[in-house]
Each structure stands twice: as C-alpha cells, then as structure tokens.
Amino acid sequence: MLNCESLLRYTEKCKEIGNIDPYNIPRHAWKDITTLLGGDLPDLRHSDIYQYLINFKSSYNHKELRAYRSLEAYKYFIAGWVSELLIADIKQGNGSTLCIITAKVRHSQSLNEEALRPWFAMEKEGPIIAAHCSCVAGLGEACSHVAATMFAVESGANWTKKESCTSQPCGWVLPSCSSFKSAPLAKIDFTSPATKYKNFDKQELHPSSCATPRTKKQLVSMEARQKFLETLKNSGIKSASLSLIPGCNEDFIPEGCRISEKRN
C-alpha cells in the first residue's frame, strides 16, 4: 500500500500520461516486445536514459534526480534479471503514440522474493515522460529496476535495427535467468557485466533449439597418426610440418650436416 504522499505522486504520474494507470491496462492490450520488428519499437537511446535518470527533475524537491548509480542497472539486464518485457501502444489525441513498457525485474537484495513490475512511459520517438516501481527508490522517481527495463528495451531495439527479425531465428532473444543454482567454481562465468554489455551487440543471439549441437572431440590413435605421417612423407612432396617431426625430417637435413655426423 502506498502512503498518502506516494499515492498523490502516483496519481500525478498517471495524469502525465493521459490519466492512464498502467497496472489497470487489460492483458490483451499488452504485446510481447521481443516479437516486434525494429520499426514498431520506441526509439529509445542511451541519451534518453541518461536524460531521465540524471537530469529529470523530482516532483518532491524540484531538483535533478542525479541517479548515477542507476546508470549501472545494465548489469541487471545482462545478468538476466529482466523478463516478460511487454509494451502497450496508446494513440494520443494529437496523433502521437504513447508507449508504456513494463517488465518483471528481480530484487537486487532478495533474489527469492517475487519479482517487481516497474513501468515507464515515453513518446514513440520522444523522451521518457514518467516511470514507476513499487520499491522504495522507485517511489522516488528512479531506481535500478526501472533503469534495467530501459536498458533492455534500448539494447533489443538496437539489435533489431541492425538486422530484421525475419532474417534469423529469434534475433530478439534477451538474456534471462529464471533460477539461481549452485555450480562448481570452474563452470562459473566471471566475465564482468561491463564486458558482457560491450560485447552484447556482437553476439549472435539464437535460442538453444536453433544452435548447432557440439560434438565430442575424439583423439586420434598413434597408429593412425603414424600412418598419416608415412603417407605424407611418401607422397613425394616436402611438407614443412614434417621438418619438425623426428623420424620424418631426414629429407630436410642439409647434406653437409649428414657428412659431419657420419665422420663423428
């Protein structure tokens, strides 16, 4: 339950987006954002996220939010804490389209608790208008959960603009993590979120069902290896690789060296 002050501010947020409460939008009005093509997605960029998290003025003290720590919320996205990314397009009276995006985002401290459902609203080709999350920081205009949702949309939109979804299977697949299980230390990926985020656009994101299964490598027996080397030696062609293998490199020893070896 929201306190009086937070409830009043939430009402003001809904007024800013046309008296629409995103939590009351019917389920059939939401679309899975990962199924949309690049042209159907809002034009969300890094500059828009920065502009909102840093320069957006709080309604409480009318000062800039300066939520610098929320800029690192891409770590939540890369770690797979953002799921069920949905979008609702609402036509405005002036002909513009208002996009409301929501997602499920895990708690940063309590991973076993029910995921939060933050949302943010923006013009399809304009700035972010309002955002909300039920966590304490989200009630104060900005939080890492809202920012993680923004980064998920921005990264996915950039991916689909590079290549059409119809040109490859499930190109909009986002990082996901439905559960947290223990694993041997050798199997844990210690790559930093910053490195993963830099390499995100370079990856070929395909579902596991479309990936080519890896085949187990089989070692070649010594007999097969020796037979191959003899075949290569008797072919009449000097292979540079044979010059490094004892027993096969006689043809590469200079004549002068052979004479000196015989004398010794």
Side-chain angles (χ1 to χ4, degrees), residues 169-170 173 176 204-214:
C170 299
V173 174
S176 62
E204 293 186 4
L205 302 181
H206 299 287
S208 57
S209 60
C210 298
T212 303
R214 295 184 178 180

Side-chain angles (χ1 to χ4, degrees), residues 1-10 60 139:
M1 295 294 293
L2 300 177
N3 56 41
C4 294
E5 186 177 8
S6 298
L7 182 59
L8 179 61
R9 174 54 190 150
Y10 186 78
Y60 296 102
L139 296 176

Side-chain angles (χ1 to χ4, degrees), residues 6-62:
S6 298
L7 182 59
L8 179 61
R9 174 54 190 150
Y10 186 78
T11 303
E12 292 176 356
K13 289 181 183 179
C14 294
K15 288 182 179 179
E16 293 173 2
I17 58 175
N19 291 319
I20 298 172
D21 185 352
Y23 293 124
N24 291 333
I25 297 177
R27 181 64 182 85
H28 65 81
W30 296 99
K31 294 179 289 186
D32 184 351
I33 200 171
T34 62
T35 63
L36 303 180
L37 298 175
D40 297 327
L41 295 171
D43 188 15
L44 183 61
R45 306 181 182 182
H46 272 289
S47 57
D48 297 319
I49 299 175
Y50 183 91
Q51 180 69 21
Y52 179 82
L53 296 176
I54 305 302
N55 298 328
F56 191 83
K57 291 187 178 181
S58 171
S59 62
Y60 296 102
N61 53 20
H62 301 287

Side-chain angles (χ1 to χ4, degrees), residues 21-264:
D21 185 352
Y23 293 124
N24 291 333
I25 297 177
R27 181 64 182 85
H28 65 81
W30 296 99
K31 294 179 289 186
D32 184 351
I33 200 171
T34 62
T35 63
L36 303 180
L37 298 175
D40 297 327
L41 295 171
D43 188 15
L44 183 61
R45 306 181 182 182
H46 272 289
S47 57
D48 297 319
I49 299 175
Y50 183 91
Q51 180 69 21
Y52 179 82
L53 296 176
I54 305 302
N55 298 328
F56 191 83
K57 291 187 178 181
S58 171
S59 62
Y60 296 102
N61 53 20
H62 301 287
K63 295 182 179 180
E64 296 175 346
L65 293 178
R66 297 184 180 180
Y68 291 102
R69 293 189 63 181
S70 295
L71 290 175
E72 298 184 359
Y74 67 87
K75 297 178 181 179
Y76 288 21
F77 162 60
I78 292 297
W81 292 7
V82 181
S83 60
E84 294 187 26
L85 205 57
L86 304 175
I87 184 172
D89 293 334
I90 300 174
K91 297 295 182 180
Q92 303 286 78
N94 57 3
S96 62
T97 301
L98 177 69
C99 298
I100 300 178
I101 299 103
T102 184
K104 279 189 176 182
V105 184
R106 290 182 175 273
H107 290 265
S108 56
Q109 301 296 330
S110 304
L111 299 180
N112 293 326
E113 291 187 15
E114 184 179 356
L116 296 167
R117 177 63 83 173
W119 61 262
F120 72 94
M122 64 174 293
E123 296 287 344
K124 193 165 186 177
E125 298 181 356
I128 298 171
I129 301 173
H132 175 79
C133 183
S134 57
C135 68
V136 176
L139 296 176
E141 304 295 339
C143 68
S144 296
H145 307 100
V146 169
T149 306
M150 295 177 182
F151 280 114
V153 175
E154 188 273 338
S155 296
N158 282 344
W159 179 262
T160 53
K161 288 174 183 176
K162 289 181 178 179
E163 190 171 2
S164 167
C165 286
T166 57
S167 63
Q168 60 177 357
C170 299
W172 224 104
V173 174
L174 295 174
S176 62
C177 184
S178 58
S179 61
F180 296 86
K181 298 180 181 180
S182 58
L185 191 63
K187 295 185 178 181
I188 298 177
D189 184 7
F190 289 97
T191 306
S192 68
T195 302
K196 289 182 179 180
Y197 191 68
K198 288 179 181 178
N199 297 333
F200 178 73
D201 289 340
K202 302 177 183 178
Q203 299 174 8
E204 293 186 4
L205 302 181
H206 299 287
S208 57
S209 60
C210 298
T212 303
R214 295 184 178 180
T215 57
K216 188 176 180 180
K217 294 182 179 179
Q218 296 182 353
L219 297 178
V220 179
S221 65
M222 291 299 296
E223 293 79 5
R225 178 176 178 272
Q226 189 62 33
K227 185 177 180 180
F228 170 76
L229 293 175
E230 290 177 359
T231 303
L232 188 61
K233 182 180 178 181
N234 297 330
S235 65
I237 300 175
K238 284 189 175 183
S239 174
S241 59
L242 295 178
S243 64
L244 303 175
I245 301 175
C248 299
N249 57 357
E250 294 87 354
D251 295 339
F252 295 88
I253 300 176
E255 189 66 26
C257 295
R258 294 181 183 180
I259 296 175
S260 62
E261 288 179 359
K262 290 180 181 180
R263 289 178 178 177
N264 294 332

